Amino acid sequence: MDLILASASPRRRELLDQIGVRYRCEPADIDETPRDREKPGDYVLRMAAEKAAAVAGRHRDEGLAVLAADTSVVIDEDVLGKPADRFAGLGMLARLSGRSHSVLTAVCLHGPDGISECELVATRVEFVQLSREMCEAYLATDEPWDKAGGYAIQGLAGAFVSSIEGSYSNVVGLPLAETWRMLSARGIAGALGG
């Protein structure tokens, strides 16, 4: 069975490559605006399901499976998206500084039979206290600009993390244990078999 990854994220591609899954990429390009009073977990689940459905809809009757995911950084029940500018980036890092937050990723696998399975994974991440100088230096790099919450745990911002509870790959953008389980249940196992 062929698999489409409904994402343009290089991090999700790297994670699928890591477990030897063969796929092709096709971004969903959907409206990602949160609904009024939508809870963060409901938001990421809806986004992943809508991305999978949008791409699957382009390939009806082709026998393809579509994998989609959506990741949000959540603090005080607020979803932190990708920083639009330096000011937004500073605000996000200031909120995360010295505190713990959640990283939520929803993964959705839409099978060729039209049946979708979605799962929500949460990881708790705690940051060290960040100085203004640290934040400014980090924002001077290319790293934070296309990342939820304005940081990449797999890059320089790994130095900001004092503890993590849960899936590391979830924070990067695709929880591998849950993704592998979903794929192998559909016969898309990659290098690990299934």
Side-chain angles (χ1 to χ4, degrees), residues 36-116:
D36 190 36
R37 288 185 280 233
E38 186 172 29
K39 293 186 184 305
D42 295 338
Y43 169 71
V44 293
L45 279 166
R46 180 174 64 84
M47 287 295 94
E50 287 183 7
K51 288 175 184 179
V55 173
R58 298 178 205 152
H59 298 281
R60 284 184 171 78
D61 305 321
E62 292 180 40
L64 302 171
V66 177
L67 180 71
D70 193 74
T71 301
S72 286
V73 170
V74 181
I75 190 163
D76 303 324
E77 287 302 305
D78 291 334
V79 172
L80 302 184
K82 299 171 185 176
D85 54 31
R86 186 182 148 283
F87 182 75
L90 278 173
M92 287 181 187
L93 292 174
R95 280 188 81 179
L96 299 173
S97 176
R99 299 184 60 200
S100 66
H101 61 274
S102 295
V103 178
L104 303 179
T105 301
V107 180
C108 188
L109 181 62
H110 186 94
D113 54 6
I115 297 173
S116 291

Side-chain angles (χ1 to χ4, degrees), residues 1-192:
M1 181 189 317
D2 288 330
L3 177 68
I4 298 175
L5 174 62
S7 176
S9 166
R11 286 143 320 265
R12 290 193 179 113
R13 290 195 307 264
E14 288 167 7
L15 288 165
L16 278 182
D17 291 345
Q18 182 180 322
I19 59 172
V21 173
R22 293 182 56 191
Y23 61 93
R24 70 179 197 253
C25 288
E26 187 176 320
D29 297 321
I30 63 167
D31 178 6
E32 298 190 31
T33 306
R35 293 178 179 156
D36 190 36
R37 288 185 280 233
E38 186 172 29
K39 293 186 184 305
D42 295 338
Y43 169 71
V44 293
L45 279 166
R46 180 174 64 84
M47 287 295 94
E50 287 183 7
K51 288 175 184 179
V55 173
R58 298 178 205 152
H59 298 281
R60 284 184 171 78
D61 305 321
E62 292 180 40
L64 302 171
V66 177
L67 180 71
D70 193 74
T71 301
S72 286
V73 170
V74 181
I75 190 163
D76 303 324
E77 287 302 305
D78 291 334
V79 172
L80 302 184
K82 299 171 185 176
D85 54 31
R86 186 182 148 283
F87 182 75
L90 278 173
M92 287 181 187
L93 292 174
R95 280 188 81 179
L96 299 173
S97 176
R99 299 184 60 200
S100 66
H101 61 274
S102 295
V103 178
L104 303 179
T105 301
V107 180
C108 188
L109 181 62
H110 186 94
D113 54 6
I115 297 173
S116 291
E117 177 186 359
C118 298
E119 188 164 344
L120 179 65
V121 179
T123 303
R124 189 184 115 343
V125 179
E126 186 162 345
F127 268 25
V128 297
Q129 195 71 40
L130 303 176
S131 68
R132 171 91 182 210
E133 293 75 25
M134 289 170 72
C135 294
E136 293 278 7
Y138 185 61
L139 293 170
T141 72
D142 291 334
E143 197 172 275
W145 303 109
D146 67 338
K147 314 292 189 306
Y151 77 93
I153 194 171
Q154 72 277 16
L156 295 168
F160 300 165
V161 177
S162 60
S163 69
I164 180 171
E165 289 178 22
S167 169
Y168 172 83
S169 62
N170 181 55
V171 182
V172 179
L174 191 67
L176 287 180
E178 293 78 6
T179 300
W180 174 73
R181 182 191 53 73
M182 292 169 109
L183 292 173
S184 60
R186 293 289 187 117
I188 310 167
L192 297 174

